[in-house]
Amino acid sequence: MAEPSAHIVDVLPFGGPEKPLAYAVPAKLKGYVGPGALVRVPLLNRSRLGLVCEGLTEEIDPKRLKFVHDALYDDPVVTPDLLRLAQWLARYYAASLESVLETIVPAPVRAIMAPKTTRLLALAQRPAPEEMDALARRAPRQAELVKFLEQQSGPVPRGLLISRLKLTPGSCDALVKKGILKEVLQDEAREAYTDELAEDEALPTQEVTLTEEQAAAVADVEQSLEAREFRPHLIHGVTGSGKTEVYLRALERVVDEGGSVIFLVPEVALTPQTVGRLRSRLSKRGQKVVVWHSHLSAGERADGWMAMARGEARVVVGARSAIFAPLKDLRLIIVDEEHEPAYKQAESPRYHGRDVAVYRAMLCKAVCLLGSATPALESLYNVELKSYRLNRLSRRVDDRQLPTVHLVDMKREKLSSHGAATISNMLADKLLDRFEKQEQSILFLNRRGYSTRMICPECGYVAECPHCSVTLTYHRSDNRLKCHVCGYQERPTPRCPKCGCSKYRGVGFGTQRIEETVQKIIPRARIMRLDTDTMSKKHLFRKILSDFRTGKIDILVGTQMLAKGLDFPNVTLVGMVDADIALHVPDFRAAERTFQLLVQVAGRAGRGDKAGEVIVQTFMPHSPPIQYARRSDFEGFLEEELEQRREFHYPPFRHLVRHLFRGRNPEKVGFFAEQWSRRLEEHLEKLDHNVEIRGPVAAPLEKVKDTYRFHLWYFVGNVSKILPDIVALRKDFPMDEDIVDVLDVDPVDLV
């Protein structure tokens, strides 16, 4: 037990109770065990990993405490502000503190990644001539290996020998066993800053002259940086207006002054140009950038994390989880394309990267830059409330014109073509014109596959996923029917499985059919498709973008990933094949998402010296979001959309919490959801909370992976005030063990 004068710390053991426990620190560890340190502690006669939290405030008798066993690292693995952030995340998103800390501290850091070793082989002794003759007769391959190593100056990697000399592992082991060879283990060096984006995405640096609006935005941000206070800025700039240059000027200033920066992007793999520009600018200052993404090995993640924790790295760029980087003296957080749903975490804790960025900036008294051509209404509402500063960039750099947008009414196109039309006459003519001028085009359709469903015109049978309540999509490239929710696959049948009709066929269209159709229109064109199917092959995505940038591809067909931060100067035509897809989603944000997507996709055209055009194919040309996007009238759309949200008290005027129940028995799930709803209504009436409850009802996507889903909606004014009461009541509610329920605060997926 601890001595009376022992130092006491609060430790949250992983895999233990949900609250921190008090431990004493032995004298030998006093300089290593502080807030944020990763330690091993005794718990229930076992040694467990734990994170040191803030010190205890209450008086505890040290004699009753056990000692901390060991500190895993010399430095804390998280910063003090991250500890405070973790506590807020647990409260606001109704998650356990342990799950939050496991999200913040990567698994490789908790696992203490040992150095990766390479097995080397070398001669232990030179065999006598008669031994070599005997070995050559009995085992010629072993003799060949010995002769090869005799000619080498030092040990050679075992794997290299096996592949080059075409040996079996048994040949090597036999020689080691005989004592002729010896095996040497060598630690491999790992570089925290090496990743697959490091090699070919460094872009040459060029002197950039700021526009008047850029200069004003940079000056305003620098003023905030000088104040060393928490100040969020919304950089609202049209596509091609130079928002990235504003970010980089602010970032350079912070780095020059010795501060640290987090740069968030929706998805690192989709923004190689941003990473390249960032690296090029900072390499002149001797600063390396940690790029945080899912393709890093466990060792690289551990090394990158500890490089930031030790202060060796001061800039990180990555997707939403990079917001938890343990950077010291954090002064600037940048959230590019802040409107993107990709910033929302789908698993617990279901945090939103943008909102966490703002809160962490507040904890660190840092500046937070949120940038987008189509900001989320929540961010714009914060500007209206004077919570955020607004910096507008209304013009493209070099006064380049915004692209001309043409609407094509597909109802008329369908009548004139006497059937289903996928590519309108106008779009086909424009594609051919751009091809002849040696200019590039992008076709956008947010639906992959060849046909959206297989249907029988005689009996009405539709091929559906046996595990989810969705139709199967036909993929012609590998002749499969696929579920885009759970991944189920099956081979299509030539006849209807129900009635045997030979007219069983695919209807609707995806990126594969568009690719085929355009190839028929322009047979000589070099066309490439870019969607999730092609992304599954490692590095193919970057190769396609590289080929498109160098002019090896004439027309690029893809899904919504083409709308994210891509800059190709020779693209003068963008075609949106079906602009109505997002409008038909049962979501109050459907109009906002449609408007954002149209503006973002249109922004890919005319980014060079040549003027751009956009063709929007739609069956609803008079829809407000389409009309506002055509005119690039953000103010008009914002005014109308906010008025509708205000009328129905939807976000951003109230917070939304989704309570999802799921289980294998739909009747049981519905019953318990209903019982919970009644219990909650009674409880809230007693507390006099202003909460509106809607539901329970079956979710729009009712069945997913053989589980049925029901949900309730809670419309609340203050999440932090009301959610703890809901969570406390839930703990006492006798839920069936076959039913799983989750709370999702500020959800972006309502389906």
Side-chain angles (χ1 to χ4, degrees):
M1 292 296 176
E3 295 295 327
S5 59
H7 178 54
I8 301 173
V9 292
D10 217 357
V11 178
L12 181 75
F14 291 104
E18 291 189 6
K19 63 179 182 178
L21 303 175
Y23 287 90
V25 180
K28 65 177 182 178
L29 295 178
K30 270 193 175 180
Y32 303 98
V33 179
L38 207 56
V39 296
R40 290 198 182 280
V41 294
L43 181 66
L44 300 177
N45 299 320
R46 292 180 59 188
S47 179
R48 288 188 180 272
L49 196 66
L51 191 73
V52 179
C53 302
E54 301 293 340
L56 290 172
T57 54
E58 58 188 78
E59 291 292 331
I60 294 180
D61 183 3
K63 293 181 180 180
R64 298 169 50 199
L65 301 180
K66 295 181 179 180
F67 279 114
V68 172
H69 282 166
D70 192 19
L72 276 68
Y73 299 96
D74 294 342
D75 302 278
V77 297
V78 297
T79 54
D81 64 287
L82 278 176
L83 291 173
R84 297 194 296 273
L85 182 68
Q87 294 170 348
W88 174 78
L89 278 165
R91 290 194 308 270
Y92 188 83
Y93 291 103
S96 68
L97 185 57
E98 181 183 352
S99 70
V100 170
L101 291 173
E102 286 179 346
T103 300
I104 290 176
V105 184
V109 176
R110 302 197 304 271
I112 322 176
M113 294 299 300
K116 187 177 179 181
T117 57
T118 300
R119 297 168 70 181
L120 307 175
L121 290 177
L123 280 177
Q125 61 180 3
R126 291 182 180 275
E130 57 271 18
E131 286 184 88
M132 281 297 297
D133 292 339
L135 188 64
R137 289 194 301 271
R138 294 193 316 270
R141 304 310 299 275
Q142 293 182 23
E144 183 184 353
L145 173 57
V146 173
K147 290 178 181 178
F148 181 83
L149 287 175
E150 284 179 338
Q151 301 170 7
Q152 307 305 311
S153 59
V156 180
R158 184 174 185 268
L160 183 63
L161 289 170
I162 291 173
S163 62
R164 179 173 294 179
L165 301 180
K166 295 182 171 52
L167 302 170
T168 62
S171 299
C172 302
D173 297 337
L175 289 170
V176 172
K177 191 173 182 180
K178 293 174 184 176
I180 298 175
L181 300 185
K182 62 180 178 181
E183 192 172 75
V184 181
L185 296 180
Q186 183 183 71
D187 289 348
E188 286 186 12
R190 286 195 308 248
E191 173 57 66
Y193 311 101
T194 299
D195 61 85
E196 61 185 26
L197 294 175
E199 297 177 4
D200 57 352
E201 295 299 341
L203 303 177
T205 56
Q206 298 177 347
E207 284 297 325
V208 177
T209 302
L210 297 179
T211 65
E212 188 176 329
E213 289 180 327
Q214 282 178 311
V218 169
D220 193 33
V221 172
E222 288 184 340
Q223 184 180 3
S224 295
L225 290 170
E226 286 177 7
R228 295 289 183 92
E229 295 177 353
F230 165 59
R231 289 185 184 176
H233 288 247
L234 178 62
I235 313 294
H236 182 188
V238 299
T239 54
S241 60
K243 294 183 291 296
T244 303
E245 185 61 31
V246 176
Y247 305 153
L248 294 179
R249 294 292 177 103
L251 183 147
E252 287 174 325
R253 172 164 184 148
V254 170
V255 170
D256 288 343
E257 293 178 353
S260 298
V261 182
I262 294 175
F263 195 134
L264 296 186
V265 290
E267 192 172 335
V268 175
L270 300 181
T271 53
Q273 293 163 318
T274 300
V275 175
R277 289 179 66 182
L278 196 59
R279 280 194 157 125
S280 298
R281 298 281 276 268
L282 291 181
S283 63
K284 297 185 299 183
R285 291 168 162 76
Q287 288 289 328
K288 289 187 176 181
V289 179
V290 172
V291 180
W292 195 257
H293 55 81
S294 58
H295 295 302
L296 292 176
S297 69
E300 288 167 341
R301 290 172 73 85
D303 289 350
W305 185 269
M306 293 312 299
M308 293 185 284
R310 296 186 187 109
E312 298 165 6
R314 292 191 281 122
V315 179
V316 60
V317 56
R320 59 177 176 264
S321 61
I323 190 57
F324 303 124
L327 293 170
K328 299 178 180 178
D329 194 14
L330 181 59
R331 300 185 195 175
L332 177 65
I333 302 177
I334 300 165
V335 186
D336 193 23
E337 305 294 351
E338 61 88 30
H339 67 281
E340 276 289 336
Y343 283 119
K344 177 71 171 175
Q345 171 81 359
E347 304 297 330
S348 182
R350 293 171 171 79
Y351 67 91
H352 197 298
R354 177 196 63 217
D355 299 340
V356 176
V358 174
Y359 196 87
R360 188 174 182 190
M362 184 193 71
L363 292 175
C364 297
K365 295 184 178 180
V367 173
C368 185
L369 303 184
L370 310 177
S372 176
T374 54
L377 262 67
E378 287 81 358
S379 299
L380 290 163
Y381 185 61
N382 277 314
V383 170
E384 188 177 297
L385 295 177
K386 308 298 184 185
S387 299
Y388 294 176
R389 298 171 71 94
L390 177 65
N391 302 106
R392 291 292 301 269
L393 304 176
S394 59
R395 295 182 179 181
R396 286 186 162 186
V397 294
D398 298 331
D399 283 329
R400 294 169 186 158
Q401 295 298 310
L402 289 170
T404 303
V405 180
H406 306 279
L407 294 185
V408 178
D409 189 343
M410 295 303 288
K411 295 191 296 294
R412 295 184 179 181
E413 196 75 21
K414 188 176 181 180
L415 291 173
S416 63
S417 62
H418 306 289
T422 55
I423 300 294
S424 63
N425 291 328
M426 177 185 285
L427 182 53
D429 292 342
K430 297 284 186 183
L431 285 169
L432 185 58
D433 175 65
R434 294 312 194 274
F435 175 71
E436 291 173 347
K437 292 179 179 177
Q438 297 185 337
E439 297 172 3
Q440 293 173 299
S441 304
I442 292 177
L443 292 181
F444 174 87
L445 176 64
N446 203 21
R447 186 191 292 130
R448 58 194 174 99
Y450 188 84
S451 301
T452 54
R453 60 192 181 279
M454 296 290 287
I455 189 169
C456 175
E458 294 295 326
C459 69
Y461 170 82
V462 178
E464 295 183 346
C465 175
H467 309 291
C468 309
S469 53
V470 295
T471 59
L472 295 174
T473 301
Y474 176 57
H475 287 246
R476 191 167 185 171
S477 58
D478 52 1
N479 192 33
R480 288 286 193 278
L481 290 171
K482 298 182 181 181
C483 174
H484 289 171
V485 176
C486 71
Y488 169 82
Q489 299 184 24
E490 65 178 44
R491 282 195 175 276
T493 58
R495 292 178 173 272
C496 174
K498 186 176 181 182
C499 70
C501 175
S502 60
K503 296 179 181 178
Y504 182 57
R505 58 187 176 85
V507 297
F509 52 89
T511 50
Q512 290 182 11
R513 178 172 286 189
I514 296 302
E515 180 186 16
E516 179 186 270
T517 302
V518 176
Q519 196 72 74
K520 291 178 180 177
I521 296 172
I522 316 175
R524 294 182 294 116
R526 296 164 296 180
I527 303 171
M528 190 60 69
R529 176 168 48 86
L530 193 60
D531 53 25
T532 308
D533 299 326
T534 57
M535 279 278 281
S536 61
K537 300 174 183 176
K538 193 174 182 181
H539 302 307
L540 182 58
F541 173 82
R542 290 166 56 216
K543 183 181 184 305
I544 291 174
L545 289 187
S546 178
D547 288 347
F548 191 58
R549 187 175 296 117
T550 55
K552 297 178 182 178
I553 299 171
D554 300 309
I555 301 172
L556 199 57
V557 180
T559 53
Q560 66 179 6
M561 60 181 65
L562 291 179
K564 299 178 183 179
L566 301 180
D567 188 355
F568 302 109
N570 198 38
V571 172
T572 58
L573 177 67
V574 170
M576 194 157 188
V577 180
D578 188 351
D580 306 331
I581 295 176
L583 278 175
H584 302 311
V585 177
D587 187 335
F588 70 89
R589 293 190 180 94
E592 181 184 4
R593 297 254 173 85
T594 301
F595 176 83
Q596 289 172 339
L597 201 53
L598 280 166
V599 173
Q600 291 286 345
V601 171
R604 302 312 110 203
R607 297 176 76 95
D609 297 329
K610 303 169 186 175
E613 284 188 283
V614 180
I615 309 296
V616 178
Q617 297 185 168
T618 172
F619 285 91
M620 306 171 66
H622 300 295
S623 172
I626 292 177
Q627 284 293 328
Y628 283 123
R630 180 181 68 84
R631 300 192 299 267
S632 296
D633 183 4
F634 201 94
E635 299 300 328
F637 173 76
L638 175 64
E639 184 179 348
E640 179 172 323
E641 186 67 13
L642 278 178
E643 184 56 39
Q644 291 186 11
R645 301 273 187 95
R646 186 180 283 108
E647 181 180 353
F648 294 102
H649 303 288
Y650 277 116
F653 300 99
R654 284 191 298 184
H655 287 277
L656 184 60
V657 180
R658 185 191 193 199
H659 198 167
L660 183 69
F661 297 76
R662 59 175 185 257
R664 294 189 176 273
N665 186 317
E667 287 79 16
K668 184 185 288 187
V669 176
F671 172 78
F672 275 92
E674 183 66 40
Q675 293 302 309
W676 161 257
S677 176
R678 292 176 181 174
R679 175 77 66 87
L680 180 61
E681 285 182 348
E682 294 172 359
H683 180 71
L684 293 176
E685 281 181 8
K686 297 176 184 176
L687 297 176
D688 194 27
H689 278 323
N690 184 22
V691 180
E692 181 184 353
I693 302 175
R694 297 184 188 178
V697 294
L701 187 55
E702 183 176 0
K703 183 182 177 185
V704 173
K705 299 179 182 179
D706 294 319
T707 61
Y708 294 86
R709 297 143 32 99
F710 284 72
H711 59 197
L712 291 97
W713 300 106
Y714 311 142
F715 290 84
V716 303
N718 188 318
V719 172
S720 300
K721 182 179 178 182
I722 296 169
L723 200 60
D725 288 333
I726 295 176
V727 172
L729 181 67
R730 170 63 189 87
K731 288 180 180 178
D732 297 332
F733 182 76
M735 186 70 74
D736 189 279
E737 62 181 10
D738 294 331
I739 297 174
V740 175
D741 68 307
V742 295
L743 286 163
D744 190 0
V745 179
D746 300 328
V748 298
D749 180 11
L750 308 188
V751 178

